[in-house]
Amino acid sequence: MVGTVLSGAADGGADDAAVDTSGLSRRFGSLDAVSGLDLRVERGQIFGFLGPNGAGKTTTIKMLCGLLEPTGGSARVAGCDIRRDRAAIKRATGYMAQAFSLYPDLTSEENFRFFGGVYGIQGREADRRLEEVFSQLDIEGIRRTEAGALSGGWKQRLALACALVHSPRLLFLDEPTAGVDPSQRQRMWDFLYELCEGGTSLFVTTHYLDEAERCHSVGFMLGGRLIAQGPPATLRERLRHRLVGAEVQRVVEATRALRGLTGVSDVTIHGHELRVLFEAPVDWEAAAGRLHEVAEGAGAPLRRVYPLEPTLEDLFIGYARGHATAA
Amino acid sequence: MRNVYHLALKEFLHLWRDRRTLVFLLLMPSIMTVLFGYAIGNPKVTALPTRVLDRDGGRIGSEYVEAIGGSLTFRPEVVEDATEDDVARAEEDLRTNRLAAFVVLPEGLTRDADEGRPAKVRVVVDASDTFAAPAILRELASTTVQQNSFLAANLRVRDGKARTTEDGLHQVAPVELAHELRFNPDLKTQNFVMPGVIGLILQLLTVIVMSTSIARERERGTMDQLAVTPLTPAEIFVGKLLPYFLISLVVTVNVMVLAWWLFGVSLSGHLPVVAALVVSFILGSLGVGQVISIVSRNQSQAVQLAVFFILPAFVLSGAFTPIETQPEAVRPIAYLFPLTYFCRGFRAALLRQATMADLRVDLAAMALFVLVAFGASVLLLRSRRD
Ligand SMILES: Nc1ncnc2c1ncn2[C@@H]1O[C@H](COP(=O)(O)OP(=O)(O)OP(=O)(O)O)[C@@H](O)[C@H]1O
Ligand SMILES: [Mg+2]
């Protein structure tokens, strides 16, 4: 059951997108942290923003939140121009920073009430909101704990609570699950789904690809550029028929040998399984012969060769190594 | 010991990265040495504005005028044929700090003294400046002694006789220097120093406390979290300032009561004047603190910058010694600090019951300071966020 906490979405703008950027760019000196970003995030979705460290994810979010002035391009957030309608954007969006940024010497409740007050939520309304959000996020137990004394998972939940205090229609979460244990991550995601069902759009960065798989749509950043965007399944499909698995005892030798093979884009090791990515779709049975031959030649015979279901991780690693072709 | 070496090396690396701290560490002592050296190296009381009201017009009057004119202590102005109105005007100028003292040479001074009749030279001194007042009295006393010696010699040449002891005394020392100490009749040093000390305390408190407040938000990363809320830069500014403003007011009352209770410091100023001085000074200092806070990357930088502002203010503002005792070269710097105006105004308000009109220059200077500091803070807050 989704409570009123989550119903922050009621509005009737003509603009359908939660985020819509065109050519959005940011330079730091000579570094193009973000360049020519064209990104569209539909309303009511969970959008996963992926990319290796330094790809420009945080920089993008900061520009969208109005914390950083773009050096080029334009963007609309929640239907408002980021340069002209900052005040409207602030009311419509919530932001949870990558680094913990609440007041460590205030209790959870004091932090929450402070941010509520800043958004004009006071008195009975604040009490009601506190009850709602704290019970939804199951953090009533830490109401009187100082925020600085909380452990990782609790800190992130409290930060999320504070970002939600004004029922934003769009929520930016910069690595909300970094440093959070698997069960807490699970709960966090359950909650994000609840929020989404309540009509809130979510813009989430993560380095966990299992989380990325759960997003309605993902965007992949590399070196400040968006190199792929779409639903996870669609993106995965790009690797269909390009991925072949091989079981082998001596993984290191086999990997070295197979990487040298023409047509092979990358080989990754998963225990005794090698995931061999080809540059173009191949017939795995036809490829198997060559793989066996090369591995045998390197003194690391393959036990078995078989077709593989592509995952986002394969795509991610392929992109990050600059091998996969951007569409 | 090798581990200590590595730790020390790392500290040097920190310093090398934090250039601002490095510059501060290396430059600050030199600047301080120069400032302190100039400001308190030569604490002579000179060129005190002093008015001589000559109602005598005779020889002894001229001797006084000449002696006063020849002394470095005074910056004299002479009023010939002075009237009662001139005396009243001098009283008023003393109250408004335009004069440090005035001397009244009475009608018939030369005639009476030559005849061996008692004559009184009046000197009226602003005793709220406990450095200047004794210097003035010393100078005039020595002039008087000199005059008396001459007069006594002249009388002895004439006849050398006296009928009574009293007459004899008058013959030896006919001129009496009658001094009147205004505003601080006991020449109590605390009365001069305490208003300055209160200024110093407020300066220290406001600038240090305020300078760390926004730097702390930045250090903790909470500044971004504030910046995504609908709070405007002006609101952030006021919201940050208000609590420290109230605390500073409480502290002011607290130290004033202590000064009165322990040291009997006179607190008899007009309340609106005192309030206007205190409020404008606190606001200006808090504003400076905010500017420092906004341009600092972290709290330690903020504290360094705060000290960089506070120390020269302490030395130059005339909190402990009158600003007039400082050499001309450094005096203009003093007028860059609101503490200078506060000390001067606060003293005038508490000891001389100065009015708003009397202190309009000091109040206007501090108000200007408030405006500049506030404006700069808000503009900086606005630009720093991008
Ligand atoms: N204030 C800044 N000044 C200079 N360079 C910066 C600044 N902020 C970010 N950068 C640089 O911009 C690039 C993008 O950084 P950004 O923080 O957006 O990456 P990210 O994708 O969020 O990485 P991560 O996954 O590590 O959080 C990096 O090379 C970073 O060093
Ligand atoms: Mg980041």
Side-chain angles (χ1 to χ4, degrees):
Chain A
M1 175 51 222
V2 175
T4 38
V5 190
L6 312 168
S7 56
D11 75 312
D15 196 334
D16 270 346
V19 174
D20 193 0
T21 76
S22 113
L24 192 66
S25 307
R26 172 73 206 205
R27 286 178 78 89
F28 291 113
S30 63
L31 174 82
D32 281 305
V34 173
S35 50
L37 185 70
D38 294 318
L39 183 68
R40 192 177 160 88
V41 176
E42 296 307 325
R43 191 163 282 187
Q45 290 201 338
I46 300 184
F47 176 77
F49 203 37
L50 315 178
N53 293 135
K57 305 181 295 295
T58 299
T59 306
T60 303
I61 288 188
K62 283 192 171 174
M63 286 192 282
L64 297 177
C65 288
L67 291 173
L68 207 57
E69 196 71 41
T71 46
S74 64
R76 294 179 77 76
V77 170
C80 308
D81 187 284
I82 56 164
R83 285 181 220 263
R84 277 185 289 114
D85 308 329
R86 272 204 191 159
I89 291 177
K90 284 174 174 179
R91 298 224 159 255
T93 62
Y95 169 60
M96 180 175 157
Q98 182 168 355
F100 179 70
S101 51
L102 299 179
Y103 297 97
D105 48 344
L106 301 190
T107 65
S108 302
E109 181 173 342
E110 286 164 343
N111 266 296
F112 185 85
R113 285 185 187 276
F114 165 69
F115 284 106
V118 162
Y119 284 98
I121 298 162
Q122 303 162 338
R124 300 288 284 273
E125 198 190 348
D127 295 342
R128 194 178 52 77
R129 193 71 194 140
L130 183 89
E131 295 304 329
E132 279 172 1
V133 178
F134 274 45
S135 78
Q136 286 281 348
L137 279 165
D138 203 10
I139 52 172
E140 282 133 323
I142 55 155
R143 267 172 87 143
R144 302 202 201 300
T145 311
E146 288 182 6
L150 295 173
S151 67
W154 294 102
K155 267 187 182 155
Q156 294 302 80
R157 266 145 86 177
L158 175 61
L160 180 57
C162 291
L164 281 172
V165 64
H166 57 299
S167 318
R169 306 201 299 268
L170 169 60
L171 198 53
F172 291 99
L173 306 173
D174 200 351
E175 297 193 29
T177 54
V180 172
D181 72 49
S183 76
Q184 291 243 30
R185 266 174 61 198
Q186 189 65 46
R187 304 185 60 160
M188 181 76 99
W189 273 88
D190 288 347
F191 185 69
L192 295 186
Y193 274 107
E194 277 184 56
L195 272 175
C196 182
E197 262 174 38
T200 307
S201 316
L202 290 108
F203 191 110
V204 186
T205 75
T206 180
H207 288 298
Y208 294 108
L209 292 158
D210 58 316
E211 292 181 353
E213 299 273 4
R214 306 170 73 163
C215 297
H216 297 116
S217 172
V218 299
F220 193 94
M221 289 283 282
L222 186 68
R225 297 183 174 279
L226 186 72
I227 56 171
Q229 184 183 6
T234 313
L235 291 182
R236 272 199 316 265
E237 276 312 303
R238 291 184 185 168
L239 295 189
R240 188 156 300 284
H241 305 308
R242 287 172 56 191
L243 209 59
V244 173
E247 208 177 278
V248 63
Q249 183 63 36
R250 308 183 58 189
V251 286
V252 178
E253 285 83 350
T255 303
R256 205 172 289 140
L258 295 184
R259 275 191 182 148
L261 207 59
T262 47
V264 170
S265 149
D266 198 14
V267 180
T268 48
I269 307 171
H270 288 242
H272 283 291
E273 180 186 82
L274 300 184
R275 298 177 77 91
V276 183
L277 180 67
F278 285 88
E279 277 159 7
V282 293
D283 174 15
W284 72 271
E285 281 167 314
R290 273 204 305 150
L291 294 184
H292 275 300
E293 197 180 307
V294 171
E296 201 119 0
L302 306 180
R303 279 193 217 133
R304 202 157 70 81
V305 174
Y306 44 87
L308 279 178
E309 262 309 290
T311 66
L312 269 189
E313 184 149 353
D314 296 314
L315 189 75
F316 187 104
I317 292 170
Y319 279 144
R321 292 206 179 153
H323 290 310
T325 39
Chain B
M1 266 329 263
R2 281 202 71 81
N3 343 12
V4 173
Y5 161 78
H6 288 292
L7 183 62
L9 190 68
K10 177 192 71 87
E11 291 305 315
F12 274 119
L13 279 178
H14 286 315
L15 279 177
W16 186 244
R17 290 294 126 76
D18 186 359
R19 295 296 160 81
R20 232 195 258 185
T21 300
L22 193 65
V23 168
F24 174 82
L25 276 179
L26 297 180
L27 217 59
M28 178 78 173
S30 320
I31 295 177
M32 284 297 135
T33 308
V34 172
L35 277 183
F36 272 83
Y38 273 120
I40 25 194
N42 188 22
K44 250 197 224 140
V45 190
T46 53
L48 298 165
T50 306
R51 189 174 298 162
V52 182
L53 302 165
D54 189 2
R55 311 188 68 182
D56 175 43
R59 178 176 47 79
I60 298 187
S62 320
E63 297 279 2
Y64 269 94
V65 168
E66 202 171 301
I68 290 170
S71 159
L72 289 177
T73 308
F74 302 104
R75 198 184 68 222
E77 49 181 288
V78 180
V79 182
E80 312 273 4
D81 304 322
T83 61
E84 280 301 330
D85 283 349
D86 289 322
V87 176
R89 202 168 304 124
E91 282 284 0
E92 176 63 11
D93 287 345
L94 193 71
R95 197 182 63 75
T96 55
N97 209 19
R98 275 192 280 270
L99 287 179
F102 64 88
V103 179
V104 184
L105 305 170
E107 230 176 311
L109 169 67
T110 309
R111 188 188 59 228
D112 289 346
D114 281 341
E115 299 296 323
R117 277 197 300 277
K120 247 185 206 153
V121 171
R122 263 180 85 212
V123 51
V124 184
V125 183
D126 171 9
S128 67
D129 185 339
T130 52
F131 286 80
I136 292 168
L137 292 180
R138 242 186 342 262
E139 284 283 328
L140 288 174
S142 78
T143 306
T144 306
V145 168
Q146 215 171 8
Q147 284 304 310
N148 279 335
S149 310
F150 280 114
L151 289 166
N154 289 341
L155 286 169
R156 275 169 180 260
V157 166
R158 207 178 67 181
D159 48 28
K161 278 188 183 157
R163 269 174 299 162
T164 65
T165 320
E166 211 180 4
D167 281 351
L169 275 176
H170 288 319
Q171 282 178 16
V172 176
V175 178
E176 180 196 347
L177 184 67
H179 60 256
E180 298 166 36
L181 297 174
R182 293 280 191 273
F183 317 124
N184 180 16
D186 305 331
L187 267 179
K188 200 151 128 183
T189 313
Q190 278 102 331
N191 272 336
F192 176 81
V193 172
M194 264 302 154
V197 169
I198 292 173
L200 293 187
I201 292 167
L202 288 178
Q203 177 83 101
L204 191 68
L205 173 96
T206 49
V207 176
I208 295 265
V209 157
M210 199 73 245
S211 70
T212 56
S213 81
I214 283 177
R216 183 166 55 232
E217 300 260 3
R218 189 166 292 133
E219 208 172 300
R220 286 179 178 170
T222 46
M223 201 61 205
D224 276 355
Q225 208 64 55
L226 279 187
V228 294
T229 68
L231 287 173
T232 63
E235 284 169 337
I236 292 178
F237 174 79
V238 174
K240 285 256 145 198
L241 190 115
L242 203 58
Y244 299 112
F245 176 67
L246 296 177
I247 291 171
S248 303
L249 284 187
V250 172
V251 169
T252 310
V253 173
N254 186 10
V255 290
M256 283 177 72
V257 168
L258 263 183
W260 164 78
W261 186 46
L262 291 179
F263 309 113
V265 170
S266 143
L267 296 177
S268 51
H270 300 298
L271 188 62
V273 180
V274 172
L277 283 165
V278 168
V279 167
S280 56
F281 177 61
I282 290 177
L283 286 180
S285 300
L286 288 173
V288 172
Q290 288 245 23
V291 171
I292 289 173
S293 198
I294 296 164
V295 301
S296 300
R297 230 169 288 135
N298 52 46
Q299 293 189 70
S300 81
Q301 266 188 5
V303 170
Q304 285 161 15
L305 268 182
V307 170
F308 207 85
F309 174 82
I310 290 172
L311 267 187
F314 275 22
V315 181
L316 299 175
S317 63
F320 292 119
T321 55
I323 191 164
E324 288 78 18
T325 64
Q326 288 163 8
E328 303 275 359
V330 292
R331 236 180 276 174
I333 308 175
Y335 291 106
L336 297 176
F337 298 103
L339 185 57
T340 303
Y341 304 97
F342 177 76
C343 287
R344 197 166 68 182
F346 203 44
R347 235 168 240 144
L350 292 186
L351 298 174
R352 292 195 299 270
Q353 284 77 48
T355 61
M356 291 279 189
D358 297 340
L359 298 181
R360 59 186 179 276
V361 173
D362 302 273
L363 285 170
M366 286 196 285
L368 184 71
F369 212 87
V370 171
L371 283 180
V372 170
F374 280 30
S377 294
V378 173
L379 287 180
L380 281 170
L381 267 178
R382 188 166 292 153
S383 67
R384 282 275 152 156
R385 114 182 347 199
D386 299 324

